[in-house]
Amino acid sequence: MASDSIPLEIPEFRPMWPESGLDAAALRRAEWTPLPFTEFVVKIHSRCNLACDYCYIYEMADQGWRNQPKVMRRETFTTACAMIGEHALRHKIDAVQLVFHGGEPLLAGHAELAFFARHARETLGKHLGVQLSMQTNGVLLDDEFLRLCAQWNIGIGVSLDGDATANDRHRRDRRGRGSHADVAAALARLSAPEYRHLYGGLLCTIDVANDPIRTYEGLLRFRPPSVDFLLPHGNWTNPPPHRVADSTETPYADWLIPIFDRWYGERAATTSVRLFEDIVDLLIGGTAGSELIGLEPIQLAVIETDGTLEQVDELKSAYAGAAGFGLRGLGNALDEAMRLPAVIARQIGVEALSDECRACPIHTVCGGGHYVHRYRADSGFRHPSVYCADLTKLIRHIDSRVGTDLARSRQTGEGS
């Protein structure tokens, strides 16, 4: 029977950079050597007790969390530790970092957290330095969790977006209730003298609708040793809030610059702001420890609750499967992953940048921006950051402030 329907056109799949276009063989011929993994984000629970509307795990392209077991089994964790230990031994690694993560890691419960920490210390700790930490929303951080973290020396980073108004705009539970009051109570416990040494700092996701100075002061209220400001995840195909693809507007730089000026002008700053410190260090010829800027190689892998090995999980904001390694071999998965284009691309520095980025005079500082923010659906990850305009304005502002002070210092020194 004849039909007037139009046949569905299925677009032809085109491999994207780095899977297509990165010549790993040529790099090896040039005597480039991949670096082993030293930091591991371990997803001990795949669900969350909050429903943050900007979450890259639950609200964006990759919904693979739905197929993950809720809690990592003990057998899975012991296997993961064996894999890490073998990898470290083969590549002569002296120390590793394990970050307990989720979802919300504290949903795993007291007994499971204690097992994971004890097993890591007792197995990996025999041959390696082991740094344990966790990133939590803080809602469940009770006295027993704090006691366990003190017992096993687990550093604690807490996610908080500022004062109650700023935080509760996005960080609410599934009934729509804000989380700020519960997190504030947890931070009061964490700040007690017996636990203060575990306090790693606060992670704040930027919302330019919130007042920047009020947000910063809302974080300082809890006396954090450090603050990380996180740009909301997005890319050229799906731009983040308040960013229009190819726009020269700079809402995020305009939000961050007043905070930088306030922080930089403090005579005795007690709180580190990693983004600002990294930019300053890079401007004067140093290095950065952040994925957001700089050209330092990334040596991080994620272990999901089912034991699957993946790349940094922010890639889930790009497209379904973007974080997957697709490994099928029988050897040590970490050793196999080192040879994959997706991993190589995170370690070759300037060679991974687009021509546009390389031509930019601040590319050694910006580093192309966060790798995740460079994605474009038709071609992959070899583009400037979707935050290019913001990063450029912020870096140039900081360069101007720091450069002026360095020049003044040199003049003072010459005249004395």
Side-chain angles (χ1 to χ4, degrees), residues 56-58 60-65 310 315-317 319-324:
Y56 61 88
I57 295 177
Y58 304 109
M60 293 193 176
D62 193 325
Q63 293 292 298
W65 63 272
E310 293 191 342
L315 282 164
K316 295 177 186 293
S317 66
Y319 61 91

Side-chain angles (χ1 to χ4, degrees), residues 305-327:
T305 50
D306 66 354
T308 302
L309 188 68
E310 293 191 342
Q311 301 177 71
V312 60
D313 57 353
E314 287 100 326
L315 282 164
K316 295 177 186 293
S317 66
Y319 61 91
F325 281 132
L327 298 172

Side-chain angles (χ1 to χ4, degrees), residues 368-397:
H370 198 316
Y371 185 81
V372 172
H373 301 158
R374 305 178 203 174
Y375 175 72
R376 192 187 294 271
D378 58 356
S379 50
F381 292 90
R382 204 169 199 181
H383 298 282
S385 167
V386 72
Y387 288 105
C388 179
D390 291 288
L391 292 172
T392 298
K393 184 172 183 177
L394 176 64
I395 290 167
R396 286 178 173 164
H397 177 83

Side-chain angles (χ1 to χ4, degrees), residues 43 100 102 123-124 174 219 291 298:
K43 302 279 190 171
F100 297 132
T123 56
L124 294 173
R174 300 189 182 282
L219 299 170
E291 286 190 73
I298 302 302

Side-chain angles (χ1 to χ4, degrees), residues 178-260:
S179 60
H180 188 273
D182 289 335
V183 180
L187 288 170
R189 291 189 287 270
L190 179 58
S191 298
E194 63 267 38
Y195 301 125
R196 173 76 189 181
H197 66 287
L198 302 172
Y199 193 177
L202 299 177
L203 175 63
C204 172
T205 298
I206 298 169
D207 182 346
V208 297
N210 295 322
D211 180 82
I213 297 302
R214 182 174 173 180
T215 298
Y216 182 54
E217 291 176 345
L219 299 170
L220 292 183
R221 169 193 165 191
F222 298 103
R223 300 186 301 118
S226 69
V227 169
D228 268 356
F229 287 109
L230 179 68
L231 294 169
H233 291 307
N235 52 65
W236 291 105
T237 300
N238 294 297
H242 306 285
R243 271 237 58 91
V244 178
D246 301 316
S247 171
T248 58
E249 296 178 2
T250 56
Y252 290 87
D254 297 340
W255 194 90
L256 284 163
I257 284 170
I259 300 177
F260 171 79

